[in-house]
Amino acid sequence: MKTYRLSPAGRRITLILLVGAVLIWAFALWSFSRTLGISYNPLQFWPTLSASIEQGLTIGQIVPALLMLVLIVATPLLIWNLLEEWDAAYTPDEEGLRFTSLGVNLLYPWSSIAAVRRVDDDGDEPLDEILLTSDHTVQIRNPMLRFLHGQAYGRQRLPIYSGLAARDELLETIRQRASSVADAEVAASASS
């Protein structure tokens, strides 16, 4: 059983994106506190926020603060997605396609793979995804990991990243195994 992981070039790109996301998050945190004039010190946060609201917020403060708040909430989710991509491993075996990353260990039986499709034909880097017939995230016992994995990929999709080493080989293996199981099921139903 061969395991497919990100290539060194794929890891470098993911690392660059990860550093960029951390910098964006740090800028959003700094800009949010500067715009509203608040302190992140736990003892001073609520008093400084209350004082800022009592003074009255202008539209020039509200709009940037809301934008920064969105970045403060969304960027950690992006960071999780990038970390999960960094650690992603795909292993095709007799039972199905096994996906592991950051404590997530999922087995997608070959019979549950509906299709493999290209997400973006026009992009510089190809990105394909596996469409699944059912939700397999129930295999993840930790509810936080289940939520994070589900928000990263969706519950019935699994991306095959462009930075994977031997990516085309993995895609061909998935297509062959999934179609042979589907053909066997059709033959079995036709004979009964």
Side-chain angles (χ1 to χ4, degrees), residues 7-121:
S7 67
R11 285 187 176 272
R12 279 191 299 274
I13 291 170
T14 304
L15 183 60
I16 290 167
L17 293 172
L18 189 58
V19 168
V22 169
L23 290 174
I24 289 170
W25 191 61
F27 172 75
L29 285 170
W30 174 80
S31 183
F32 184 75
S33 72
R34 298 281 299 189
T35 301
L36 296 180
I38 60 173
S39 170
Y40 287 127
N41 180 330
L43 298 175
Q44 296 176 351
F45 179 77
W46 291 113
T48 57
L49 180 62
S50 297
S52 180
I53 292 172
E54 286 175 10
Q55 289 176 358
L57 299 174
T58 66
I59 194 73
Q61 290 175 300
I62 294 172
V63 172
L66 288 176
L67 178 62
M68 293 305 121
L69 184 60
V70 168
L71 287 174
I72 289 169
V73 172
T75 305
L77 297 175
L78 171 64
I79 291 170
W80 169 262
N81 295 354
L82 291 169
L83 288 172
E84 194 166 357
E85 178 179 350
W86 174 273
D87 195 44
Y90 303 84
T91 307
D93 61 26
E94 294 304 317
E95 298 175 46
L97 180 65
R98 186 166 303 281
F99 174 81
T100 57
S101 182
L102 298 179
V104 173
N105 187 359
L106 295 169
L107 175 65
Y108 299 102
W110 296 117
S111 60
S112 72
I113 297 176
V116 178
R117 73 176 179 116
R118 177 69 43 105
V119 175
D120 185 11
D121 287 330

Side-chain angles (χ1 to χ4, degrees), residues 109-136:
W110 296 117
S111 60
S112 72
I113 297 176
V116 178
R117 73 176 179 116
R118 177 69 43 105
V119 175
D120 185 11
D121 287 330
D122 298 332
D124 293 335
E125 297 289 326
L127 178 64
D128 294 282
E129 67 182 2
I130 298 172
L131 301 177
L132 304 162
T133 58
S134 58
D135 178 9
H136 293 277

